[in-house]
Amino acid sequence: MRMFQVRQTITYDLTVAAGTEQEAILKAKGIPLTQWTTEADEITAEMIDETDEIDDY
């Protein structure tokens, strides 16, 4: 049986007025996710075990 690891990535966008990049990051940390705009989700699958059942001959 093949096994896959599935990962979902959600990207949030938020425009913040700030004087520096550090200030923008600090402000963004304090804003609840409900105020962020959700972008399209990305779902990826990666095979982690390629072992198939072995047939007896």
Side-chain angles (χ1 to χ4, degrees):
M1 175 180 293
R2 293 182 178 155
M3 296 182 65
F4 293 85
Q5 181 178 47
V6 178
R7 181 175 293 121
Q8 180 178 18
T9 303
I10 302 172
T11 303
Y12 293 93
D13 280 340
L14 179 68
T15 302
V16 180
T20 65
E21 182 179 351
Q22 184 178 9
E23 182 185 352
I25 291 169
L26 290 172
K27 280 186 174 184
K29 285 185 176 182
I31 298 173
L33 286 179
T34 54
Q35 295 182 24
W36 293 58
T37 302
T38 307
E39 292 298 310
D41 296 353
E42 178 183 342
I43 299 176
T44 58
E46 178 183 343
M47 192 179 330
I48 57 174
D49 183 3
E50 197 173 347
T51 305
D52 284 328
E53 293 180 16
I54 299 172
D55 296 330
D56 292 330
Y57 291 100

